[in-house]
Amino acid sequence: MVAAVLDQLGRRPGVLRLSLTARCNLACPYCCPDDHDPPELLSPGERRTLIAVAAGLGFSSLRLTGGEPLLHQELEALIEAVQDLRQPAGLREVALTTNGVLLTAARARALRQAGLDRITISLDGADGASVALMSGRAHQGELLLARVLEGVRHAREAGFDPGRGQLKLNAVIDRRRNADQLLPLARLARELGVELRLIEFMDVGNRNGWSPDQVLTAAEMVERIGSRWPLQPQGRAHHGTASRWRYLDRDDDLHLAVVASISAPFCGDCNRLRVTADGQAYTCLFGTAGTDLKPWLRPRPDAAGLRARLQALWGQRHDRYSEERAHLQPGAFLPHAEMAYLGG
């Protein structure tokens, strides 16, 4: 039985988002990733220790992120190495967020065989020009779109069933750049039979030039798509990030989802801890500074010490930046860690 650990707002641990690299093969303007990793990356053994300790504290979901995690050559080995942490030890699922460009048939099969439960693939446009714009890769849009769609197919063929929530699409929507892609993306996801998750453009990091007028709100997205295909609200699951809507014109229970971290914050039941590729723990996506966990991982793992540090870190947690943002004075915004470094 995992002992209850509560933060200052009564929130329990739930999701450990572990970044494997800050590098990416794309240059999406809302993320602005680095082309290199920070020094002192965690080793596979250190990551395994961290995940085991976190699972013992109640982090039952592990999401592997980047940068682009498919650039990490030991990804499958790590997934396989944590399988013994599943119930009753505490880990219930292992998920992955990827841009899908490198998701070959062989890679998809290897991930499934290693024990991966779910894949979310990012795609911010439904045509070559939009993909080129949103990926920061001029003149490569058609090629990238084709590869991502192949990745979706490979994932499905490897056994990731979208009908069971094992395969989804993410799209970040920027009012200035790709708001015209709402209906095309929804149409594409409907054709693929995959849930589409539309994400409001967020003020994560300091490089992406975020301003409030770039935010197309979740309510506007739902209104636009609902005017084309009727939608029925399904609500937001406790601890979930997305509000879901069911398409009424289909009999396959396909859903649309929206993540409204700007217009309708959900800090009240946030259960996420983010750890960067170099072992910095952040208790909020919009955090300004992390806590270095390496002193409890090297030169040799100190599982008891790491558990105590994570327990204390969570117990001191009181972050609710998205809820507080609306009340901040102009100019009061603090510098944030970059999205690619945090793993989104």
Side-chain angles (χ1 to χ4, degrees), residues 64 154 161 189 195 230 269 283 294 305 340-341:
L64 301 171
H154 294 326
D161 182 1
E195 180 175 309
D269 61 356
T283 54
K294 289 191 293 295
Y341 180 66

Side-chain angles (χ1 to χ4, degrees), residues 103 105 108 121 148-158 167 192:
L103 191 59
I121 297 176
V148 173
L149 294 179
E150 286 177 357
V152 173
R153 177 170 59 83
H154 294 326
R156 191 194 298 264
E157 291 173 351
L167 177 60
L192 295 172

Side-chain angles (χ1 to χ4, degrees), residues 117-132:
D117 298 299
R118 296 195 291 125
I119 294 182
T120 301
I121 297 176
S122 297
L123 181 63
D124 304 318
D127 59 56
S130 296
V131 171

Side-chain angles (χ1 to χ4, degrees), residues 237-254:
H238 190 52
H239 300 308
T241 60
S243 297
R244 302 176 77 222
W245 300 72
R246 187 173 69 84
Y247 287 105
L248 291 177
D249 65 327
R250 299 175 64 110
D251 57 10
D252 59 356
D253 200 35
L254 184 66

Side-chain angles (χ1 to χ4, degrees), residues 43-53 293-307:
S43 70
E46 290 166 348
R47 291 191 176 102
R48 169 64 171 71
T49 297
L50 169 61
I51 296 166
V53 170
L293 302 179
K294 289 191 293 295
W296 294 274
L297 293 169
R298 57 182 64 159
R300 61 185 59 85
D302 174 9
L306 180 60
R307 178 185 174 89

Side-chain angles (χ1 to χ4, degrees), residues 101-148:
V101 174
L102 302 175
L103 191 59
T104 63
R107 201 81 195 268
R109 288 194 300 269
L111 289 167
R112 191 63 170 174
Q113 291 167 3
L116 187 67
D117 298 299
R118 296 195 291 125
I119 294 182
T120 301
I121 297 176
S122 297
L123 181 63
D124 304 318
D127 59 56
S130 296
V131 171
L133 175 65
M134 294 303 293
S135 67
R137 295 291 185 239
H139 314 302
Q140 297 183 34
E142 294 290 350
L143 174 62
L144 293 174
L145 177 58
R147 287 186 175 174
V148 173

Side-chain angles (χ1 to χ4, degrees), residues 20-21 23 37 41 44 47 68-79 102 107 110-111:
L20 302 181
T21 176
R23 295 179 296 117
D37 270 321
L41 294 184
R47 291 191 176 102
E68 172 47 53
L70 291 181
L71 291 172
H72 187 67
Q73 297 304 310
E74 296 172 328
L75 172 60
E76 289 86 351
L78 177 62
I79 294 170
L102 302 175
R107 201 81 195 268
L111 289 167

